[in-house]
Amino acid sequence: MTFDLVIRGGTIVTASDVTKADLGIRDGRIAAIAEHIADGERVIDATGRLVLPGGIDAHCHLDQPQAPGLASKGAKMADGFRSGSISAAFGGTTTIVPFCVQHRGTSLTAAVDDYHRRAEGQSVTDYAFHLIVSDPTPAVLGQELPALIRRGHTSLKVYMTYDAMQLSDRQILDVFETAREEKAVMLIHAENHEMIGWLADRLEKQGRTKPVAHATSRPLAVEREATHRAVTLAEIAGVPLVIVHVSGGDPLEEIRRARARGHVVIAETCPQYLLLTEADLEMPDMLGAKAMCSPPPRDTAAQAALWQGIEDGTIDIFNSDHAPYCFDQDGKLKAGPAASFRAIANGIPGLETRLPILFSEGVVKGRIDLPRFVALTATNNAKLYGLHPQKGTIAVGADADLAIWDPEKRVTITNDILHHNVDYTPFEGLEIQGWPETMVSRGEVIVENRELKAAPGRGRFLTQKTSSAWKTREINAWI
Ligand SMILES: [Zn+2]
């Protein structure tokens, strides 16, 4: 009984344990975990290294079609499945879950077919799709969604803002109802559209159109109100709800309150809310556009509140919200070099820097331990989005998706070391300790010695099972 690959002498970390053991991999899956494993066809020496489950980035945007009225403001996404998944892999991630978007007046099923075509032959990592519902017609609610959920798309997202995406409270309840009947998990972008529009109109009238006005038009109260409304709608409909990209203490407080009432509400945050502030949008000329995302980065008090949420278990998932727009005329500057903040694409890149940032700022700085790091970046996403135990853990029978980390390696983040197609990183100059050096996906080494070893197209589409959030009504028992 021989193994295709043996990883020897490493420290294995899961969401619950840190142990020293060897791993034996056969046919793409973990076949043995033991004190010592005899030679396989190939042996990787992981002495002094951490062996972690490959990361899962369950919030990223890749190759979404261009259209006005969206977060993109008609700009072109710089990354598709090829460069996006390569960038993810170099940053320690082996599974990505981008969003398949329904545009109004079109069928959701057609959007899924189109997104499969966009992914075909491109990805180096495995992938699933969340579905964004922007037009919940009777046909979408009654036929398309139930069929798509049964085909393995068990996570759906709705927006409370953006002209072309926003749903009314009543429409959100309609989608939630279908989600309850079919046991899908709901994700929501929670910002109050009317308040943003009113504030943005006033700012423009006052001539305040620079990128920083983007933050002024979307204060934390806008997010707090929408978060409160979103969890209330979920309570009424009886569905588990994921609040994506929580940016500060006030919405987190609403989430804690909903949980205290007994509802399954899951909170996500992203690197930009821990590292950036509104001051990053105040850079001269249009440079502040490089830090424009929604919700916007806040202040140091918000950062502290988010770290508190990560430490006390209010925040359970950590994703990038990678939304790749270059700082050029196809991307951030599409509406011109002096455009109003309202015409600038919202979103920043982050697939490759997500894990190193949380490792360095969280684990190395002593804010979280290694199992919590794995839970936040892999295991909880796998459970929540119906990919566990195939993905997100190190266990016999699981896919051999692994990230072998050098916990001592020091790296200064600069855009030229990254593999995305975006021409900047908002984390330029950030000093990091700890970096994933060897990546394994289904037993195949895909990144080694800073080189890509995998062919685009090897990544497989994953059908999602029912979310763990549906398996219990107990608070936090889903993880
Ligand atoms: Zn997003």
Side-chain angles (χ1 to χ4, degrees):
M1 191 167 88
T2 181
F3 296 102
D4 304 327
L5 176 63
V6 169
I7 296 174
R8 180 168 297 153
T11 298
I12 296 172
V13 185
T14 66
S16 58
D17 298 299
V18 181
T19 47
K20 271 208 181 295
D22 294 353
L23 290 180
I25 294 158
R26 193 185 301 123
D27 297 330
R29 296 197 298 173
I30 295 166
I33 305 172
E35 265 188 302
H36 182 76
I37 294 179
D39 284 349
E41 302 217 347
R42 184 174 171 198
V43 177
I44 293 177
D45 179 6
T47 307
R49 300 290 186 265
L50 300 174
V51 182
L52 271 52
I56 298 174
D57 198 326
H59 189 159
C60 52
H61 302 272
L62 298 172
D63 199 13
Q64 286 176 204
Q66 291 168 257
L70 307 173
S72 65
K73 316 285 175 168
K76 183 178 182 294
M77 281 198 172
D79 287 311
F81 281 84
R82 181 179 299 219
S83 59
S85 67
I86 291 171
S87 184
F90 275 95
T93 292
T94 50
T95 299
I96 54 175
V97 192
F99 294 90
C100 168
V101 187
Q102 178 204 22
H103 294 287
R104 291 207 182 124
T106 68
S107 133
L108 188 52
T109 312
V112 171
D113 293 343
D114 173 65
Y115 212 46
H116 274 293
R117 281 192 292 274
R118 290 168 185 263
E120 191 66 43
Q122 300 297 316
S123 190
V124 300
T125 66
D126 291 348
Y127 57 94
F129 304 158
H130 301 297
L131 308 184
I132 291 175
V133 184
S134 71
D135 198 359
T137 62
V140 167
L141 294 167
Q143 285 115 52
E144 292 197 31
L145 271 177
L148 288 164
I149 294 166
R150 286 171 210 167
R151 266 167 57 185
H153 299 284
T154 61
S155 49
L156 315 176
K157 184 178 178 190
V158 291
Y159 282 73
M160 299 172 95
T161 187
Y162 297 123
D163 290 326
M165 306 298 286
Q166 176 212 11
L167 301 188
S168 68
D169 291 354
R170 196 185 175 97
Q171 288 176 309
I172 292 170
L173 285 169
D174 283 340
V175 178
F176 282 5
E177 183 178 37
T178 299
R180 185 187 65 221
E181 282 162 6
E182 300 294 334
K183 291 203 174 351
V185 67
M186 289 303 317
L187 296 76
I188 196 160
H189 178 128
E191 288 185 294
N192 183 306
H193 189 66
E194 300 274 325
M195 292 183 198
I196 294 167
W198 188 84
L199 287 165
D201 284 347
R202 288 173 70 88
L203 287 162
E204 276 196 331
K205 268 192 210 121
Q206 294 164 9
R208 295 167 68 187
T209 59
K210 293 210 162 119
V212 71
H214 170 76
T216 319
S217 73
R218 310 174 98 98
L220 197 55
V222 158
E223 188 183 337
R224 182 187 66 217
E225 185 284 328
T227 301
H228 173 76
R229 189 155 37 97
V231 298
T232 307
L233 293 167
E235 286 175 27
I236 286 171
V239 288
L241 183 66
V242 183
I243 308 288
V244 295
H245 48 49
V246 176
S247 76
D250 284 12
L252 217 48
E253 216 35 63
E254 295 299 333
I255 291 163
R256 288 194 182 100
R257 270 198 266 277
R259 287 181 167 200
R261 289 193 297 273
H263 299 284
V264 179
V265 181
I266 293 109
E268 174 195 81
T269 196
C270 316
Q272 49 273 34
Y273 303 114
L274 299 178
L275 270 291
L276 305 181
T277 67
E278 197 177 310
D280 290 287
L281 280 79
E282 281 171 356
M283 300 281 279
D285 304 320
M286 289 292 266
L287 288 171
K290 291 182 177 181
M292 267 181 69
C293 52
S294 294
R298 310 281 181 194
D299 54 21
T300 53
Q303 293 176 350
L306 294 172
W307 279 115
Q308 175 62 34
I310 286 174
E311 288 163 28
D312 71 19
T314 310
I315 293 172
D316 277 321
I317 50 174
F318 188 79
N319 293 308
S320 69
D321 197 7
H322 180 86
Y325 302 105
C326 284
F327 193 68
D328 66 13
Q329 67 277 15
D330 290 328
K332 291 279 187 182
L333 305 178
K334 187 171 175 70
S340 165
F341 68 96
R342 291 176 104 168
I344 299 171
N346 288 193
I348 62 175
L351 265 170
E352 194 164 347
T353 45
R354 173 184 70 121
L355 292 170
I357 284 174
L358 189 65
F359 189 91
S360 189
E361 293 291 318
V363 178
V364 175
K365 293 193 175 169
R367 289 163 162 144
I368 54 172
D369 62 13
L370 281 166
R372 181 83 181 133
F373 174 78
V374 168
L376 284 159
T377 57
T379 316
N380 290 352
N381 275 321
K383 290 181 177 178
L384 183 58
Y385 298 125
L387 300 170
H388 189 266
Q390 181 189 358
K391 302 294 188 190
T393 192
I394 296 177
V396 170
D399 282 359
D401 286 8
L402 304 164
I404 304 176
W405 284 66
D406 178 349
E408 307 294 334
K409 187 175 171 129
R410 287 175 186 278
V411 175
T412 301
I413 293 178
T414 54
N415 201 50
D416 59 359
I417 67 165
L418 302 180
H419 298 79
H420 59 198
N421 274 343
V422 184
D423 57 1
Y424 77 95
T425 166
F427 306 109
E428 187 78 23
L430 184 67
E431 291 181 11
I432 293 283
Q433 183 187 327
W435 202 271
E437 55 182 14
T438 304
M439 297 299 300
V440 177
S441 167
R442 278 182 279 104
E444 198 182 319
V445 174
I446 59 169
V447 172
E448 191 174 35
N449 299 326
R450 280 176 278 168
E451 277 177 38
L452 183 69
K453 301 288 182 184
R458 68 162 295 285
R460 289 182 192 158
F461 174 71
L462 301 164
T463 56
Q464 300 165 248
K465 299 186 289 290
T466 301
S467 168
S468 62
W470 273 109
K471 291 183 183 146
T472 176
R473 302 300 295 166
E474 277 178 62
I475 310 308
N476 293 346
W478 65 275
I479 47 171

